[in-house]
Amino acid sequence: LESRPQGPHVCEAGIIRTAEGRGATDMAPRLRCLYDGIVEVLDQFRPEVMVVEQLFAHYDHPRTAILMGHARGVLFLAGGQRDLPVFSYNATRIKKTITGHGRASKEQVQHAIRRELGLARLPEPPDVADALAAALCHYYVQKLPAQG
C-alpha cells in the first residue's frame, strides 16, 4: 500500500508461489524461492515498512506453525537486510481494525478490503486480502492520534 493524500492506494497485491509446491519435503528451495520473491518486491517498490501477521499456532497443528515460522523468518531477514522496520499485528487486531469485528470471516475481510481500498473486485485468493488487511491495519494505526 502507498499512503496518498486521498488515502491508501494499492500499488501491487499478489502471492509468491514456490515452484516446488506444498508437497515438497525439502524446505530450503521453498524458502529460497520465498526469499527471492520478497526481495524482488522490496527492491521494485522500495517500501518504508513491512507489516506481517503474527503467528497463530493451534495446538492441533504444530507443524503448520513451525513451517509458518520458517517463512516469517525469511520475511524478517529480507526486511532486516534493507533496514526496514517490520510491524507485526495479531489477526484479531487486524480483523477488528478492518471490519470492526475481531472474529470476522475470510469473506468479510475480503469485502471490507474491497470497500476500503475501492477495488473493482474481491481480492483473490483470500490470502491477498489478508495481506492487504495487515497493511491497511498498520496504515490506520499510524493515522491514529497519539494516546497519552
Side-chain angles (χ1 to χ4, degrees):
L1 290 183
E2 179 179 72
S3 180
R4 293 186 176 175
Q6 61 271 32
H9 172 76
V10 177
C11 297
E12 181 67 39
I15 57 174
I16 298 169
R17 294 197 189 275
T18 59
E20 288 76 21
R22 291 180 180 251
T25 55
D26 187 3
M27 283 295 295
R30 293 179 67 195
L31 292 174
R32 174 64 187 263
C33 183
L34 177 59
Y35 176 81
D36 290 344
I38 197 65
V39 162
E40 183 179 328
V41 170
L42 294 176
D43 289 349
Q44 179 180 355
F45 291 100
R46 305 263 186 227
E48 295 176 10
V49 300
M50 282 181 67
V51 181
V52 297
E53 185 177 314
Q54 287 178 359
L55 186 59
F56 172 77
H58 194 279
Y59 294 116
D60 294 339
H61 305 285
R63 185 171 187 276
T64 301
I66 292 168
L67 295 174
M68 292 303 296
H70 292 316
R72 283 174 47 92
V74 166
L75 298 176
F76 276 82
L77 172 63
Q81 287 177 326
R82 283 151 184 77
D83 294 320
L84 286 175
V86 181
F87 294 88
S88 185
Y89 297 94
N90 70 45
T92 304
R93 169 96 187 261
I94 293 168
K95 290 176 182 182
K96 184 160 181 62
T97 302
I98 302 307
T99 70
H101 191 279
R103 299 218 183 269
S105 68
K106 289 258 187 204
E107 293 80 18
Q108 288 170 312
V109 171
Q110 284 177 290
H111 284 283
I113 288 299
R114 181 178 160 266
R115 182 188 68 245
E116 291 293 312
L117 296 174
L119 303 177
R121 59 184 187 274
L122 292 179
E124 288 288 342
D127 293 337
V128 172
D130 292 345
L132 287 169
L136 190 58
C137 175
H138 180 72
Y139 172 85
Y140 288 143
V141 166
Q142 296 305 301
K143 294 293 179 191
L144 292 176
Q147 305 284 324

